[in-house]
Amino acid sequence: MLEFIDSHAHYDAEQFDPDREELLNRIHEGGVLKIVNMGCNLERSRLSVEYAEKFPFVYAAVGIHPEDVEGMPEDYLDRIKKWAVLPKTVAIGEIGLDYHYEGYDPDLQKRIFEEQLDLAEELSLPVVIHSRDATEDCMNILRKRGKVSGVMHCFSGSAETAKQVLALGMNISFTGVLTFKNARKAIEALEVVPLERLMLETDCPYMAPEPNRGKRCDSSMIVHIIEKIAEVKGVPPELVAKQTTENTLNLFYKMK
Ligand code: NI
């Protein structure tokens, strides 16, 4: 049985309302050692913390997603901080920039992103970064900081961008996208990421890997991502599972 960590999941999503508790306990018994539930806004960060309290193998990340920055109350950072210092909160995330949908406010997104990067630095916590259609701005913000302790999640950039992310000291994680038929760009990026810098994630309930594409995703489906990485890297799946677990525990050090 493969044992691994899902470093990025959204079990607060309504898709899990019918069977959340039963599902989480079942997949944990099936090899999902630990799960990090992401925060996206204040309410969903609170839920991350709640699940971390309820399930021994669930950990929390707290933060404001770039698509949720509109109308943030002025004290939002204080509220994030209150949750961030709890023992089972392992990262600030997911934070970043997303210019995918029309009507976004790049200046507001950048401000909230940078404020949360500052908070992470202040608390010595790693960050989970979401960047979509915003590579240049995102990389500029990160480069200003020199080194960044964190992971670039659901990586969708080029091999060249992957090298730049690695040079900042960050890890990279890929979702089920790796297993899709049109995944050539993701595979090319994967090829330049050493096994020692890789992490596993589902981003569930989204991004289900083949052969489950389009279905509700859960952490157990990471086995398909592991198999793909093993194939591309030419190593046994067990090694991918073991090394990514180690990488994740090293980055999210409060999880050890
Ligand atoms: Ni996510």
Side-chain angles (χ1 to χ4, degrees):
M1 180 173 82
L2 285 170
E3 294 187 315
F4 50 85
I5 295 176
D6 186 352
S7 71
H8 188 123
H10 299 276
Y11 281 101
D12 50 290
E14 62 181 10
Q15 286 91 328
F16 295 114
D17 284 351
D19 60 347
R20 182 173 294 110
E21 186 164 352
E22 183 270 323
L23 174 72
L24 280 168
N25 287 320
R26 176 159 46 84
I27 61 177
H28 177 54
E29 278 166 28
V32 183
L33 297 170
K34 293 170 193 280
I35 295 166
V36 185
N37 201 74
M38 288 295 126
C40 287
N41 53 34
L42 290 174
E43 171 57 12
R44 297 178 71 180
S45 293
R46 190 192 64 75
L47 283 171
S48 277
V49 169
E50 189 182 305
Y51 298 163
E53 279 167 6
K54 182 166 181 184
F55 301 94
F57 52 92
V58 174
Y59 294 77
V62 294
I64 309 298
H65 188 286
E67 285 184 302
D68 281 67
V69 294
E70 213 71 44
M72 248 330 111
E74 256 178 52
D75 68 341
Y76 88 94
L77 211 53
D78 296 331
R79 292 165 70 177
I80 295 287
K81 187 173 176 176
K82 230 173 51 201
W83 293 316
V85 296
L86 295 173
K88 287 189 79 186
T89 300
V90 299
I92 300 292
E94 58 186 296
I95 62 174
L97 301 175
D98 192 324
Y99 298 169
H100 189 66
Y101 296 107
E102 249 172 70
Y104 61 88
D105 180 342
D107 293 328
L108 180 61
Q109 284 196 13
K110 285 183 211 169
R111 176 169 69 79
I112 303 272
F113 182 26
E114 297 199 78
E115 285 172 354
Q116 294 183 94
L117 286 171
D118 289 339
L119 177 67
E121 228 172 88
E122 180 196 326
L123 300 176
S124 298
L125 278 177
V127 289
V128 179
I129 295 184
H130 168 105
S131 168
R132 181 159 62 157
D133 298 341
T135 304
E136 197 182 331
D137 281 2
C138 186
M139 292 306 292
N140 282 339
I141 285 174
L142 296 175
R143 260 190 228 105
K144 273 194 293 188
R145 295 178 180 258
K147 289 277 172 196
V148 179
S149 169
V151 58
M152 190 64 83
H153 116 89
C154 194
F155 190 77
S156 59
S158 63
E160 195 44 51
T161 305
K163 286 182 197 165
Q164 293 170 16
V165 171
L166 293 171
L168 285 167
M170 295 180 67
N171 288 350
I172 290 181
S173 64
F174 296 88
T175 57
V177 170
L178 270 186
T179 65
F180 295 172
K181 276 207 172 62
N182 55 355
R184 229 190 63 176
K185 192 177 163 195
I187 298 288
E188 282 170 8
L190 171 63
E191 281 167 352
V192 306
V193 184
L195 205 49
E196 292 71 28
R197 303 292 292 280
L198 266 180
M199 284 164 56
L200 301 175
E201 67 160 309
T202 51
D203 208 14
C204 66
Y206 322 105
M207 303 291 188
E210 294 287 4
N212 305 107
R213 190 171 180 180
K215 297 200 187 123
R216 182 184 78 170
C217 182
D218 69 60
S219 306
S220 67
M221 295 180 189
I222 281 187
V223 292
H224 304 295
I225 304 175
I226 291 177
E227 279 160 11
K228 191 59 175 185
I229 294 173
E231 178 195 317
V232 171
K233 296 286 185 198
V235 297
E238 290 74 17
L239 179 63
V240 175
K242 185 171 170 285
Q243 185 64 51
T244 52
T245 296
E246 203 176 304
N247 302 342
T248 307
L249 292 175
N250 284 337
L251 182 67
F252 297 157
Y253 62 89
K254 280 167 82 177
M255 210 154 72
K256 275 187 195 170

